[in-house]
Amino acid sequence: MAAENGEEKLLAAVRHIAKTLGRTETMADDILQIFSTFDGRLSREKLSEKQLDDGSLASDGVAWDDRLSLSSIDRTLRSLDRQISLFACSERPIWSDSADASAFLEAVDDLLATIHDLDTPAPGNKPLLERADHLLQKCMLRLEDEFRSLINRSNGGLPLDAAATGSAPFDSEGDDSDGDDGRVPVAHPVTDYDLVIDALPPGTISDLHEIARRMAAAGFGQECAEVYALARRDFVEESVARLGLHTRTTEEVRSTPWTDLEYEIARWIKALNMVFRILIPSERRLCDRIFAGLPPFADLAFAAVSRAPAIQLLSFADVVAISSRAPERLFRVVDMFEAVRDLIPDLDPLFSDQYSTILRTEAAAVFKSLAVAIRGIFVELENLIRRDQARAAVPGGGLHPITRYVMNYLRAACSFRRTVEEAMEEDAGTSVPPDPDRPSSSLALQIAWIMDVLHGNLEEKSNIYREPSLRCIFLMNNGRYIIQKVRYSELGVLLGEDWIRRQVARIRLWGSEYQRATWSKVIAVLRTDGASGSASVAAQAMRERLRVFNAYFDEICRAQTGWVVPDEQLRAELRISGSELVLPAYRNFLGRYRNLAEAGKHTKKYAKYSAEDVEARIGELFEGTGKRS
């Protein structure tokens, strides 16, 4: 009995010494280990049993078997604490040595297994579980640092087209260099975007996966995804910046001159394909490999990395779409619409998870916004035509600049008719009401409406001419030009043959009005039914009519020789129809005049023009020379 009491006192003294000298549990455990080597009575088992007896490791009511188990876990935690503390305090990267990395991961695995053993509602578990959780926090902090370090050491190998920032955007064949890091490998310009690049070395990806797996098992998967995102985000944003794109505010985009903005749009289209077809898919692949078997965290990391560059690119397109609707912007906006349209099918599988699906929605919204912009530009073209008021008559009734501008613009717009039609249908909510006499597509209706607005504008402008004949010439010139532009382009397909026939009929009507306004009074003078009475009286009356005819004819020729009819066919038709009206009446008049005995003596004196002369003078009309009205 006395021996037992003596042994208990010895054990108590040893524990007291260890507790006094050991500033940490690890140091106290080391001191006990040293004592156990000197005396068999001071074995670790006896010391642990006594610790359990005095409640240092367990509360009252803990079964003896449980105490033995907790004692074993306590020893495991102490051993793991020593191992992990060595790694956690090291200033050298653990993954600089594969053996160290393996040993550290093994310690983490053992710690996780120990925590799993303690994760049951049993008496005595709580103090050990708190120690284990504290040790786990230390492990996770170091794993985060190692994870970040591995990514940062490997960043910079993705060969995007960094030559975009140079003087020859997207065409550089040389190498780029960085003043801080030395030579940076850069790929030649990409034309085939159907490729995915491994952004990190396979060995690094494997190491990162092992770390991610442990962090996820420890309940730190989200923290791991955040570390990944922070480490990769700068690299991704730098890659986008290398393509020549930088974040721009709405005000900056709107204030940029259009010529400069056109250049930026061209860069944007190429950057859009580079980012959404190469850079972001490569990040998706990288996330899937690093977080293999951990889909929520792979999706979370991918969304965090890709959101900023995706939103930056899409926001630029959205700002362009809601900015000025000036007609000259149509062609670049259509280019942007096509780029986004072609991209959207690839975005469905790329942004299919819950975290990045918003990017798919954003791309669809930008696509819609560009479609609205395209229709808005056509509406602005209508307004431009309406605002173009008549200020001065076009000399000689020639082609008006607004006609030339609108028709050439529409022909150019229809060179990519399918795309514009698609944009119109996308924005079908504001389509022009259908007309049964016109083609049914939204673009056809829009262009037919613009043509109506143009015709109305030209008719208003024609009123500036004082002579009705010149007004008709002006309308015919512009109408014929419109028909020619429509007939030999995609406009003819959109507007249809019925529309062309209606325009031809309008020109014929204006032609008839011209003939009446020009030649009706001439034809009236040449009528012979009023020349009755005696020969001398009739001759006198006819001589007066010849004088009036000469005056009218000279006036018409003098004026209309300076008028302009650029279209050769129309010019010939007007001359022929004029000759067909005047020459029969004039020949008949001269024949009747010569048959009068009194007049026949002086035919050449009063008949200034022969029939051939009249025909020749009419053939000189509309040459654009002489005096213009």
Side-chain angles (χ1 to χ4, degrees), residues 156 175-186 238 242:
D175 292 325
D176 195 9
S177 63
D178 189 293
D180 296 329
D181 302 328
R183 182 176 175 274
V184 177
V186 176
E238 180 186 352
R242 278 183 158 195

Side-chain angles (χ1 to χ4, degrees), residues 426-442:
E426 181 69 21
D427 186 43
T430 57
S431 61
V432 179
D435 185 327
D437 295 329
R438 291 175 176 159
S440 58
S441 80
S442 296

Side-chain angles (χ1 to χ4, degrees), residues 205-233:
I205 294 174
S206 178
D207 291 338
L208 291 169
H209 171 67
E210 293 301 322
I211 295 175
R213 192 162 62 84
R214 268 70 174 195
M215 293 187 70
F220 288 79
Q222 182 171 344
E223 287 78 359
C224 185
E226 290 173 357
V227 171
Y228 173 89
L230 289 173
R232 290 292 296 171
R233 189 179 298 152

